[in-house]
């Protein structure tokens, strides 16, 4: 049986009602990336950064996974250990669609950790009415569990092993412009994988894509998954 690795980005959650980052109307149009998504920004104005992520957390809870998220849950159910899902998204929608082994390489909106002692907390257990939530163990400031620009994404070693070992690598709903995730398709292809993209626009790393499916993932992904599973 072939081994599949899938990388998703903001485009898969767009039709659930979550804004992407770089499309027209995207989040980075009305927010300064340096201010809200960098360690320096957090140091300069932690209240502003916390407000930004509290709002995004609340919004993520107000929307539902869509049929593209469910199509990947179906892949996991059918392919089991021959399927791995990596996401750049922090919205938790893959897990809410039932996916059990999601690799959240850019962190999660639903957790926070202590800048001093590293203790990790679900946001659901924190008092979010205060401007900057504090650690219950040491009393220091918590920060959102988000990998910001200039920081190293989570699980890179595990991801590299998966990329080298897979037969098919799929990228779904991502502009292919933010590294290291944008380079995964190149690694997978160099190690012999067939590469597939499902995206509304042509991604920046199109040169490494063998099979491009251009359009909305809610329309293109469910039939593509059915086709893959019928052959597996
Ligand atoms: N179906 C398929 N693709 C879509 C859809 C849709 N309905 N809507 C938008 N897209 C595509 C767009 O064409 C675009 O190429 O999704 C892509 C979204 O790109 P970005 O906004 O750049 O999001 P992403 O690639 O996930 O960003 C990567 O950048 O700011 C950081 O940390 C943040 O994880 C994020 C990273």
């Amino acid at each position: 049986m072939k081994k599949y690795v899938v990388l998703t980005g903001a485009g898969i959650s767009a039709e659930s009602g979550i804004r992407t980052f770089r499309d027209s109307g995207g989040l980075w149009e009305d927010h300064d990336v340096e201010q809200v998504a960098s360690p320096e920004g957090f140091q300069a104005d932690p209240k502003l950064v916390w407000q930004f992520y509290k709002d995004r957390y609340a919004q993520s809870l107000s929307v539902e996974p869509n049929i593209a998220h469910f199509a990947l849950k179906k892949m996991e159910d059918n392919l089991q250990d021959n399927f791995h899902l990596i996401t750049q998204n922090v919205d938790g929608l893959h897990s809410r669609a039932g996916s059990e082994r999601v690799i959240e390489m850019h962190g999660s909106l639903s957790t926070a950790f202590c800048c001093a002692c590293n203790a990790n907390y679900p946001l659901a257990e924190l008092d979010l009415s205060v401007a900057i939530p504090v650690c219950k163990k040491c009393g220091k400031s918590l920060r959102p569990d988000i990998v910001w620009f200039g920081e190293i994404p989570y699980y890179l070693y595990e991801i590299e092993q998966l990329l080298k070992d897979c037969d098919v690598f799929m990228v779904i709903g991502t502009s292919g412009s933010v590294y290291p995730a944008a380079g995964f398709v190149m690694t997978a292809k160099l190690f012999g994988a067939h590469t597939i993209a499902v995206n509304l626009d042509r991604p920046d790393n199109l040169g490494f894509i063998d099979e491009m499916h251009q359009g909305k993932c809610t329309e293109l992904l469910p039939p593509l998954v059915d086709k893959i599973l019928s052959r597996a």
Side-chain angles (χ1 to χ4, degrees):
M1 199 184 257
K2 284 185 179 170
K3 293 178 189 164
Y4 288 81
V5 174
V6 172
L7 170 72
T8 63
I12 196 165
S13 296
E15 291 166 83
S16 289
I18 295 203
R19 290 163 77 187
T20 61
F21 297 97
R22 292 171 189 79
D23 295 313
S24 143
L27 263 184
W28 296 153
E29 241 175 41
D30 40 292
H31 294 278
D32 180 345
V33 184
E34 293 297 319
Q35 250 181 355
V36 298
S38 76
E40 295 80 9
F42 185 65
Q43 209 167 11
D45 193 345
K47 288 184 186 170
L48 174 90
V49 174
W50 258 113
Q51 195 54 53
F52 176 71
Y53 288 100
K54 280 183 207 168
D55 291 346
R56 288 186 62 202
Y57 171 61
Q59 203 226 351
S60 74
L61 295 180
S62 73
V63 301
E64 298 297 328
N66 64 53
I67 54 175
H69 296 103
F70 288 112
L72 296 179
K73 152 72 173 151
K74 188 171 172 182
M75 266 185 110
E76 181 184 86
D77 287 347
N78 282 266
L79 301 174
Q80 304 207 351
D81 287 346
N82 290 310
F83 175 80
H84 292 274
L85 175 58
I86 306 162
T87 189
Q88 298 166 90
N89 298 345
V90 292
D91 56 32
L93 290 181
H94 286 302
S95 301
R96 285 178 53 205
S99 291
E100 282 169 18
R101 292 175 291 119
V102 189
I103 300 173
E104 292 181 308
M105 63 175 290
H106 288 170
S108 167
L109 283 173
S110 65
T111 49
F113 68 89
C114 176
C115 299
C117 76
N118 239 19
N120 200 289
Y121 299 93
L123 256 63
E125 289 176 13
L126 297 174
D127 176 7
L128 296 181
S129 66
V130 298
I132 304 171
V134 291
C135 180
K136 291 176 191 171
K137 290 184 182 149
C138 74
K140 298 277 171 27
S141 299
L142 297 180
R143 60 162 272 182
D145 190 6
I146 301 290
V147 175
W148 287 322
F149 286 96
E151 297 184 318
I152 299 170
Y154 298 149
Y155 311 113
L156 283 184
Y157 177 76
E158 290 85 340
I159 291 171
E160 192 182 355
Q161 305 311 308
L162 292 173
L163 297 174
K164 289 178 174 172
D165 195 37
C166 69
D167 300 299
V168 181
F169 181 64
M170 296 172 69
V171 284
I172 301 166
T174 175
S175 56
S177 59
V178 176
Y179 285 81
F184 292 173
V185 67
M186 184 181 78
T187 306
K189 195 171 165 58
L190 282 175
F191 279 82
H194 178 67
T195 56
I196 301 175
V198 179
N199 211 58
L200 199 54
D201 303 296
R202 292 155 74 86
D204 289 358
N205 50 12
L206 186 67
F208 296 100
I209 303 294
D210 297 318
E211 201 183 307
M212 175 75 207
H213 299 258
Q214 193 167 354
K216 291 184 175 178
C217 43
T218 53
E219 287 165 14
L220 300 183
L221 192 59
L224 180 62
V225 166
D226 286 341
K227 197 168 147 192
I228 288 169
L229 294 179
S230 71
R231 289 193 198 134

